[in-house]
Amino acid sequence: MLAYLQHVARRHDLYKDIIFETALTGAQWNESSSRWTIQTSTGTNFTTRYLITSLGLLSKQNFPDIAGIDTFQGEKYHTGAWPVGVDLKEKRVGIIGNGSTGVQVITAIAKDVKRLVSFQRNPQYSVPSGQGPVSKEYRDHINENYQQIWKDVKDNSAFGFGLKETSRPTFSVSPEEREEIFEAAWKKGGGFRFMFETFGDISVDEAANNEASNFIKNKIKQTVRDPEKARKLLPTQLYARRPLCDAGYYEQFNRENVDVVSLHDTPIERITPKGVRTSDGVEHELDVLIFATGFDAVDGNYTRLAIQGIGGKTLKDHWTHGPTSYLGISVPEFPNMFMILGPNGPFCNIPPAIETHVEVISDLIAFAEQGGQREKAVPSASSRHDSFVNGGTDGASTQKPVIKATAEAEERWTKVCDEVSASSLFRRTDSWIFGANIKGKANVVMFYFAGLSAYRKELREVAADGWKGFAIE
Ligand code: NA7
């Protein structure tokens, strides 16, 4: 993935527009000049007309609140900041967390380590990922249909993964046929595929959800030979979190060197200098402790920074009851600031969501820069890059345009997101998707659940209506 990103940056000549090793440390909206003043970790300040943030939806690492966490003497890693060159060979490794990251890490390292213990709070449902070499036929198919595939991803699907989501109800087919459909999806692989290409009601109807979860539970029982390990790995909740997939997760527990500790049976009492002590008095001695404990998702990277809008108000102040926005991109009282993947953006595959936000933010700025007339040409943003470094201005004397989402628009959008998510079983299952993984965090809607194409349709309607919900001066 890193090689791919580097390739894209080279191919599109992006390096000249990127300043590395520089963190945003604060930003303030200046009302008299209608500019953002931006501070960075290197001491370089910027003054800009627009502030576009892409601080990361899943980026601020979450460390669990476990006693003694700082006392561990071995190596300690969070999966969200994995250093290059970690060697786990022949080591005793403990891992806390078995979400999509934990499942992948366990699968990847089990064969190399001396001993692996998964400290597992809630067992999860995972299906095969179906990953493998890409055939020439598949590659040709992608290359020949590239434009259409992207069009379908963005404008004809809910989750934007290039799969064919179905509306077929679970109980519209016989039990035998249902089994066959699940089995075919299991063989093909893919978490979202299993949840959304088999039947259309798994995430909204509890009885349908049970059918899918029972199928997966049977697979777990068939795969894991040790009945005690299998018992611990069997999920007890609804199948209603981010659907996981793996390249042989459950199989790893058939290895002698791999074990699972159920934290429901024996909670962690504390982390000690030597390892992890559980409530049964066992001290699990470890050389390495891995935290696959996820992220303070969506707003976590925004609220830890002082991003100050009108009157010095921070986003944290604005979001005391949970993160909100208009369309996932704009917050009232934070003029000319636009978020890529802000709260209440679409719940879907992330790259097309990012592209959608880049497109809509660019269009909105272009519209405002042209004084509200769509036809005129837009100056290239990159042509101004050098002129605003170190407190200079972007050269333009005008204070306009100033683009603000209205408070009513934000309120309406939040209500829409809330209503759309109300019927989802995801809402009844604790996870980062509704902020439930972070102690003290408001448990509120943080995504637009009607899907990517419905979201893009909303955006088109907003634009066609003269960017309804935005005040542009
Ligand atoms: P997730 O999905 O938030 O998973 C975090 C895991 O860490 C999950 O198994 C949690 O258990 C576990 N966890 C968190 N805190 C604790 C404590 N205190 N004790 C024990 N276990 C704990 O993060 P991921 O990195 O796997 O994935 C995040 C997203 O990134 C993913 O959805 C993809 O979209 C990409 P729990 O289930 O809450 O009991």
Side-chain angles (χ1 to χ4, degrees):
M1 280 195 267
L2 179 62
Y4 172 72
L5 295 173
Q6 287 166 338
H7 161 77
V8 170
R10 268 194 306 272
R11 179 161 173 177
H12 296 281
D13 197 18
L14 304 180
Y15 280 100
K16 68 177 185 341
D17 293 320
I18 302 173
I19 304 170
F20 291 96
E21 305 291 333
T22 305
L24 172 74
T25 53
Q28 301 81 35
W29 173 250
N30 183 320
E31 269 168 86
S32 53
S33 62
S34 298
R35 294 288 188 279
W36 281 96
T37 310
I38 294 161
Q39 293 85 40
T40 69
S41 54
T42 60
T44 307
N45 294 337
F46 297 82
T47 304
T48 67
R49 185 191 293 270
Y50 301 103
L51 171 60
I52 299 178
T53 57
S54 52
L55 294 175
L57 184 78
L58 291 155
S59 167
K60 188 191 171 195
Q61 295 145 39
N62 170 44
F63 280 92
D65 184 15
I66 300 176
I69 189 165
D70 294 326
T71 64
F72 182 62
Q73 298 288 302
E75 299 166 56
K76 199 163 72 177
Y77 304 110
H78 191 289
T79 48
W82 194 258
V84 176
V86 175
D87 183 6
L88 299 174
K89 280 205 173 62
E90 293 306 311
K91 291 188 178 152
R92 297 166 303 171
V93 179
I95 179 163
I96 301 179
N98 53 296
S100 34
T101 308
V103 160
Q104 287 174 52
V105 172
I106 289 167
T107 308
I109 67 174
K111 66 178 187 320
D112 295 326
V113 299
K114 183 171 180 185
R115 184 166 166 68
L116 180 61
V117 184
S118 165
F119 296 95
Q120 171 199 272
R121 194 161 60 183
N122 285 300
Q124 292 240 33
Y125 299 91
S126 187
V127 307
S129 58
Q131 67 195 49
V134 175
S135 67
K136 182 175 179 317
E137 292 72 36
Y138 183 68
R139 216 186 159 110
D140 289 346
H141 163 77
I142 298 281
N143 288 339
E144 282 157 20
N145 298 284
Y146 196 81
Q147 299 301 343
Q148 186 59 41
I149 289 170
W150 270 110
K151 190 170 170 21
D152 287 343
V153 159
K154 287 180 171 174
D155 291 322
N156 292 316
S157 88
F159 297 105
F161 279 101
L163 55 87
K164 289 194 178 60
E165 295 133 7
T166 179
S167 57
R168 173 175 54 195
T170 298
F171 297 104
S172 64
V173 301
S174 68
E176 295 73 29
E177 206 180 328
R178 199 153 49 238
E179 188 79 4
E180 278 168 25
I181 291 168
F182 281 138
E183 187 64 39
W186 182 270
K187 288 213 170 79
K188 199 167 182 183
F192 274 82
R193 196 183 286 284
F194 189 87
M195 194 182 264
F196 297 107
E197 209 177 59
T198 50
F199 298 101
D201 50 2
I202 292 176
S203 69
V204 288
D205 181 280
E206 200 167 332
N209 192 275
N210 278 338
E211 293 294 310
S213 57
N214 284 338
F215 179 90
I216 301 175
K217 282 185 202 169
N218 281 335
K219 288 288 186 189
I220 300 172
K221 286 185 217 157
Q222 287 160 16
T223 308
V224 182
R225 289 195 290 268
D226 177 337
E228 182 57 5
K229 285 185 190 174
R231 178 189 69 81
K232 292 177 187 167
L233 287 162
L234 279 185
T236 52
Q237 299 176 319
L238 289 166
Y239 176 39
R241 295 178 176 204
R242 193 253 198 240
L244 308 190
C245 60
D246 65 82
Y249 170 63
Y250 296 112
E251 285 83 348
Q252 304 311 315
F253 293 90
N254 290 333
R255 294 177 189 276
E256 289 282 303
N257 65 328
V258 180
D259 204 358
V260 52
V261 170
S262 163
L263 300 182
H264 284 309
D265 296 350
T266 52
I268 295 177
E269 244 172 26
R270 64 181 297 116
I271 293 174
T272 67
K274 284 192 195 158
V276 172
R277 197 170 67 222
T278 40
S279 64
D280 51 359
V282 176
E283 185 173 34
H284 302 265
E285 293 195 14
L286 305 167
D287 304 308
V288 182
L289 186 52
I290 299 173
F291 292 93
T293 42
F295 304 93
D296 183 352
V298 183
D299 58 330
N301 264 349
Y302 285 88
T303 50
R304 67 173 166 164
L305 284 167
I307 297 180
Q308 296 170 286
I310 293 172
K313 188 176 178 184
T314 62
L315 279 171
K316 195 173 176 177
D317 297 332
H318 187 71
W319 288 343
T320 40
H321 302 296
T324 48
S325 78
Y326 181 41
L327 302 171
I329 59 169
S330 179
V331 184
E333 299 180 64
F334 292 78
N336 288 5
M337 184 193 92
F338 301 103
M339 300 171 292
I340 294 169
L341 303 183
N344 288 338
F347 181 74
C348 66
N349 189 15
I350 294 293
I354 293 173
E355 288 197 7
T356 298
H357 277 172
V358 170
E359 289 162 12
V360 69
I361 293 166
S362 307
D363 285 356
L364 173 55
I365 290 176
F367 177 77
E369 292 261 338
Q370 294 156 31
Q373 294 162 47
R374 309 183 128 272
E375 295 77 25
K376 288 187 196 162
V378 193
S380 140
S382 63
S383 64
R384 299 208 192 110
H385 176 79
D386 287 335
S387 62
F388 57 71
V389 179
N390 273 329
T393 69
D394 60 3
S397 56
T398 170
Q399 292 175 356
K400 294 185 173 178
V402 175
I403 310 166
K404 263 187 285 189
T406 66
E408 300 74 51
E410 181 189 47
E411 205 178 305
R412 184 163 44 80
W413 184 247
T414 308
K415 199 158 169 265
V416 166
C417 293
D418 198 49
E419 283 168 5
V420 169
S421 72
S423 61
S424 172
L425 296 176
F426 276 55
R427 194 136 196 192
R428 286 172 38 196
T429 314
D430 286 351
S431 80
W432 63 265
I433 295 168
F434 286 90
N437 65 327
I438 303 294
K439 210 171 162 183
K441 190 163 172 167
N443 198 334
V444 293
V445 66
M446 296 204 289
F447 289 95
Y448 174 72
F449 264 77
L452 180 61
S453 45
Y455 175 73
R456 288 171 61 87
K457 192 163 163 274
E458 290 266 3
L459 295 180
R460 279 194 293 271
E461 283 167 12
V462 165
D465 205 352
W467 294 93
K468 176 179 66 177
F470 289 99
I472 303 175
E473 289 161 16

